[in-house]
Amino acid sequence: MAHVAIKDIYKNYGAVRALKGIDFEINDGEFVALVGPSGCGKTTLLRMIAGLEDITGGEIHIAGRVVNDLQPKARDIAMVFQNYALYPHMKVADNMSFSMQLAGAPKDEIKTKVEEAARILNLENYLDRYPRELSGGQRQRVAMGRAIVRNPKVFLFDEPLSNLDAKLRVSMRAEIKALHQRLGTTAVYVTHDQIEAMTMADKIVVMSEGHVEQVGTPLELYDEPQNLFVAAFIGSPSMNLMEATVTESGLKIGSFPEIATQSYDWLPTGKEIVVGMRPYDFAIGDTGLKLDVSVTEPTGVETQVAGHIEGKPVTCLFKERVSGRYGDTMHVTPNGPLHVFDKETGQRLGTAFTVTKH
Amino acid sequence: MNARYTPWLFLMPAIVIYGFFGAIPILQTFYISMTDQVGVAGAGNFVGLTNYIELFQDEYFLNSLKNTGIWVACFLVIPNTLAVIIALLVKRTFWGASIIKTVFFLPLALSFAIVGVIWAWIYEPDVGLLDQLLIGLGLDVLIVEWLGPHAGNFSVIAAAAWRQTAFATVIYLAGLSAIPQELIEAAKVDGATRRQVFFRITLPLLKPANTIAVSSALIQALLATEIVLTMTRGGPFGMTEVVGYRMYMETFWNYKFGYGAAIGVVVTIMTATMVVPYVRRMAKAMEREWS
C-alpha cells in the first residue's frame, strides 16, 4: 500500500508534447481511474508510473520515494496489460509466480501464494494449463493473479477489460472492484470508458490532450463538471449542451420561452452562456423547448428520445412511456439543475435551479 | 462425393506433384543404387547391396562423411548463434538500420556457388582480401593457407556459414518481431533483468524461428556441394570433400551411376533422420497456432 504523487509531469516525444504538466495525488489504498479519449495521454502517464516510459519533466513519488530514475522492478508495482501479456510458453502457475521465481523466493512460499491467488480468482483448476488453453476472461484473471501474487505497493491497470465482450466486462468490473476492496492496495486504472471509471473508482482523473481537466469523486464530476469537456464526457447518455443568454429572471435558449431560474450574482443579465442539461432532467409538456424527434428507444423501464432542439442534437430520458417517430415534435421543459458554463472560456460558472412560474 | 473422399481430393494436386518429383525419383534412385549402371547408356545389372558394402570401405567416401559431420556440427552452432546476435542488434530502429539490414541480408541473394567464387578470392594467398586485411593490421602471424589441407574444410564452412547466417538472421528477425513488446515489459515489471528477459522470455519464444533455422542449416550442411565445387573442387587431396560432392564426382565424372545413387540414398537417409524430428515439431507448432 502506498501514497502516489504525480508532480508537474511532462512528456515530450520529440516535438510532440504528450503530457503538459500533470498534477494529482493518490491516497493510500485509493482506486483512481485515469479516463479520457484516445490520445489524451492516460496510458503514457500510467507507463511512466510503471517505469516503462521516461519522464521528461516533473516527479513521480511512490510511498514517499522519488521513482523517476528507478527501473520498473525497483518500484514495487504490478501491472495488468490491455492484452494480458501472459507468457505463452509458461503454464498459468508459472505465469503467476514468475516474479517470485526471479526474486528467488522459496518453492513452498511460491506454491502457497499462487494457490491463494488462484483461489481468490477461481483459477484453481487451471494452474497447469497454458494461456492459449484459456478463455479471454480466464486470461484476464491470470493477469490479475500475476499482479496479486507480488503483493505490490501499487496496482496499475491499462484498459484491462477492453478486450472482453460486454457481458463479461460488466462482471469483471465488479470482480476487480471487489478484489480492490478486499486487498486494499492502491490502484491506478486507465480506461476510456467513463462508465467503468464511474462504477469502479474512488477518484477519477479526467484527462484530455495531455492535461488534467478535473479530479474528483465520480459524483463530484457528475454533479459539478468544471468545464464543458468534463460535462460532455461524464454521464451516459451525455449531457445536452445548448447556447443560451441570461435574462432578467432566467435564461433563454434561441427563440423559445424563457426558462425561469433563481437569480444568482454570478449570472449577470445579458451574459452569453452554455447551459448543460442531463437527459433525465426534462419533463414533457404542452409548452417549452420544441424537440424534433429522430428516434425513440423504449427499454421498458424508460424511454430514450433522441432529436434536435434548434438544430442541436439532444437526448432526453423519460421514466414514462413516450411514443414518437421521426418527424414528430414534442415540447420539453428542463426541470433539473442547469449546469451553466461561460461560453467564452468553457469553464463552469455554477448550477442554476429552475423555478416554476405560477 | 462424400466427406470421406473430399479431403483426399484436395490433397491430390500436392500428392501428384510430390509423387512425380519426390517419391518416384527417390524410389528410382534406390533401385539404381542396387545396380552396376554406368552412365546413362542402359540399365545395369542388379548387384544387391554390393555398392553399399563397397561404399563403407571407400576411404574417399568415409573422409567425405567425416567432413560432412564437421559441416553439420559447425552449421548447427555458428550461423544460429551469430544470427540471433545480429537479429537482436539490428532489430532496434536506429539511423541507417535499413542499410545495415540490407548488408546482412545481401548474401541471401547469392547462390552457394557464387559465394564460393567470392570467398575463393577472399582466401587467395597474399593478394586476397583476408590476407591483405591481416597484413594491414600487422597480424601476419595469423595467416595460414586458408584453402590448404589443414584449414580448407573450415574455410569452406565459414564461407557457407556466411550465407546461412544471413538466412537465419531473416528468420530470427521475423521471430523477434512476432514477440509482443508487452511481454518484455511485463517481464521487466515482474523484475527480470535484461539477461533474464533474454533467456527466459525472448529465447523460448524464438523456438519456432529456431526450428526453421536449424532444419535449414541441417539440410544445407548435409547437401553442400556447389560451394565445394567452386572453391576447392574437394582439394587439396580430397581434404575438403563432402558427401554431396562425392556423389557428384562418382556419378558425373566417373559415370558410376549405381555407386553415386548409393551415396544419394545414404545422404537421403541421413537428412531424413536428422531433419524430420524438426519438421514434425514445426508442423505441430503450426497446428497449435492455427487451431
Side-chain angles (χ1 to χ4, degrees):
Chain A
M1 279 194 258
H3 175 269
V4 177
I6 310 295
K7 294 190 172 165
D8 202 23
I9 285 293
Y10 282 82
K11 176 71 187 180
N12 298 344
Y13 292 103
V16 181
R17 301 177 65 203
L19 293 177
K20 308 160 189 167
I22 304 286
D23 250 312
F24 63 89
E25 302 215 347
I26 301 166
N27 293 322
D28 195 1
E30 215 169 22
F31 192 114
V32 169
L34 305 182
V35 68
S38 308
C40 71
K42 56 192 189 296
T43 295
T44 304
L45 180 59
L46 189 81
R47 290 170 57 83
M48 287 162 93
I49 300 173
L52 295 170
E53 206 80 61
D54 290 334
I55 297 167
T56 309
E59 279 180 354
I60 292 177
H61 298 240
I62 297 176
R65 193 164 58 134
V66 179
V67 297
N68 282 34
D69 298 321
L70 292 184
Q71 289 288 310
K73 60 174 180 167
R75 298 189 181 197
D76 204 358
I77 42 123
M79 184 154 168
V80 177
F81 290 81
Q82 182 168 5
N83 44 17
Y84 324 134
L86 302 180
Y87 311 122
H89 57 298
M90 294 184 198
K91 289 179 175 172
V92 168
D94 289 323
N95 258 288
M96 298 213 292
S97 64
F98 188 55
S99 61
M100 292 185 78
Q101 291 175 27
L102 292 174
K107 282 228 165 72
D108 47 337
E109 190 191 327
I110 292 179
K111 196 164 182 288
T112 319
K113 285 265 196 171
V114 167
E115 278 169 4
E116 191 189 327
R119 206 182 52 246
I120 296 174
L121 294 163
N122 265 325
L123 285 169
E124 287 142 306
N125 298 327
Y126 302 99
L127 289 175
D128 274 333
R129 297 226 189 148
Y130 285 98
R132 62 173 175 273
E133 298 165 331
L134 302 179
S135 70
Q138 289 164 341
R139 287 180 202 184
Q140 177 60 63
R141 283 205 188 84
V142 177
M144 293 206 298
R146 192 161 68 177
I148 294 173
V149 163
R150 299 195 52 191
N151 194 19
K153 285 205 180 80
V154 183
F155 279 127
L156 304 175
F157 296 92
D158 184 11
E159 309 215 17
L161 304 184
S162 57
N163 287 356
L164 302 178
D165 63 61
K167 203 173 164 190
L168 200 51
R169 205 177 303 162
V170 173
S171 67
M172 285 305 290
R173 202 159 81 190
E175 263 184 59
I176 294 180
K177 188 169 182 177
L179 192 67
H180 172 255
Q181 282 166 358
R182 174 174 179 170
L183 300 173
T185 308
T186 311
V188 187
Y189 188 103
V190 162
T191 177
H192 61 266
D193 181 347
Q194 57 95 15
I195 298 201
E196 244 172 53
M198 294 287 282
T199 50
M200 297 172 79
D202 298 318
K203 186 157 87 186
I204 297 177
V205 178
V206 182
M207 293 176 65
S208 93
E209 291 176 1
H211 59 263
V212 172
E213 295 284 354
Q214 188 173 354
V215 180
T217 65
L219 292 182
E220 276 168 12
L221 299 185
Y222 187 84
D223 291 338
E224 295 191 353
Q226 286 306 302
N227 52 49
L228 287 172
F229 180 86
V230 177
F233 196 79
I234 299 291
S236 174
S238 55
M239 186 187 276
N240 299 302
L241 296 166
M242 307 280 303
E243 285 178 10
T245 314
V246 182
T247 58
E248 286 287 333
S249 56
L251 42 92
K252 205 165 154 49
I253 297 174
S255 54
F256 297 116
E258 177 191 81
I259 301 166
T261 67
Q262 297 172 24
S263 65
Y264 301 92
D265 48 6
W266 46 265
L267 208 54
T269 306
K271 189 164 177 64
E272 299 279 307
I273 57 161
V274 173
V275 60
M277 297 157 285
R278 293 279 176 204
Y280 284 102
D281 298 337
F282 286 96
I284 298 183
D286 300 328
T287 58
L289 307 173
K290 188 167 139 270
L291 175 67
D292 301 314
V293 178
S294 300
V295 284
T296 56
E297 296 172 348
T299 59
V301 62
E302 60 194 17
T303 311
Q304 179 170 326
V305 180
H308 292 84
I309 292 177
E310 289 259 293
K312 287 268 167 81
V314 165
T315 307
C316 301
L317 276 164
F318 301 109
K319 286 270 173 268
E320 60 264 43
R321 300 195 170 177
V322 185
S323 64
R325 318 175 60 96
Y326 181 81
D328 289 355
T329 55
M330 235 175 237
H331 285 90
V332 295
T333 314
N335 62 355
L338 302 173
H339 301 269
V340 181
F341 301 93
D342 191 313
K343 189 179 159 187
E344 245 171 80
T345 63
Q347 294 300 306
R348 174 185 194 81
L349 294 172
T351 307
F353 290 92
T354 51
V355 290
T356 321
K357 270 190 252 183
H358 294 288
Chain B
M1 206 49 62
N2 61 36
R4 203 172 146 192
Y5 298 112
T6 313
W8 290 104
L9 190 70
F10 282 109
L11 286 171
M12 264 334 264
I15 290 173
V16 168
I17 292 171
Y18 175 74
F20 269 106
F21 298 104
I24 293 175
I26 287 173
L27 291 174
Q28 213 168 11
T29 305
F30 189 63
Y31 175 74
I32 295 172
S33 77
M34 291 193 287
T35 69
D36 60 1
Q37 185 178 333
V38 173
V40 288
N45 305 311
F46 186 81
V47 294
L49 295 175
T50 313
N51 284 330
Y52 292 93
I53 294 164
E54 207 179 311
L55 198 56
F56 284 96
Q57 290 163 350
D58 180 344
E59 233 176 275
Y60 286 104
F61 175 72
L62 292 177
N63 176 58
S64 72
L65 201 60
K66 186 196 84 191
N67 281 342
T68 294
I70 297 172
W71 268 77
V72 169
C74 291
F75 254 52
L76 281 182
V77 179
I78 299 166
N80 268 301
T81 315
L82 285 179
V84 171
I85 294 169
I86 295 170
L88 283 171
L89 289 177
V90 302
K91 186 191 68 150
R92 284 171 293 180
T93 44
F94 50 88
W95 191 86
S98 53
I99 296 173
I100 289 180
K101 277 181 201 170
T102 312
V103 169
F104 277 113
F105 299 162
L106 210 57
L108 259 189
L110 308 172
S111 71
F112 276 107
I114 308 278
V115 170
V117 174
I118 294 173
W119 280 77
W121 289 336
I122 292 175
Y123 287 138
E124 191 74 17
D126 300 330
V127 294
L129 181 66
L130 187 55
D131 281 5
Q132 286 291 318
L133 197 70
L134 289 173
I135 292 166
L137 291 170
L139 295 170
D140 316 37
V141 284
L142 294 179
I143 292 177
V144 295
E145 200 185 333
W146 300 113
L147 294 177
H150 298 294
N153 198 38
F154 291 99
S155 297
V156 178
I157 292 173
W162 178 65
R163 184 184 188 277
Q164 188 63 26
T165 302
F167 174 78
T169 304
V170 176
I171 300 298
Y172 282 119
L173 260 179
L176 278 178
S177 58
I179 300 176
Q181 191 55 32
E182 286 88 351
L183 289 187
I184 309 295
E185 290 177 345
K188 278 188 198 160
V189 172
D190 267 346
T193 59
R194 287 174 65 152
R195 211 183 137 82
Q196 285 167 327
V197 169
F198 177 73
F199 282 105
R200 304 201 53 174
I201 308 293
T202 310
L203 213 51
L205 293 178
L206 281 178
K207 209 167 148 188
N210 176 261
T211 303
I212 297 173
V214 165
S215 32
S216 160
L218 276 174
I219 292 168
Q220 297 294 359
L222 288 164
L223 302 186
T225 305
E226 323 92 283
I227 193 166
V228 176
L229 208 63
T230 55
M231 275 184 97
T232 63
R233 304 199 64 82
F237 322 116
M239 302 294 265
T240 58
E241 287 192 350
V242 289
V243 286
Y245 182 78
R246 225 28 264 154
M247 174 174 68
Y248 170 79
M249 290 306 282
E250 295 291 2
T251 312
F252 295 107
W253 282 76
N254 299 338
Y255 296 113
K256 290 161 75 179
F257 271 48
Y259 196 64
I263 300 180
V265 170
V266 172
V267 173
T268 306
I269 292 169
M270 286 196 305
T271 312
T273 31
M274 286 197 226
V275 177
V276 164
Y278 272 93
V279 176
R280 276 177 65 105
R281 200 173 90 179
M282 193 157 63
K284 267 191 190 153
M286 282 172 154
E287 216 172 274
R288 212 166 48 211
E289 242 157 70
W290 292 343
S291 60

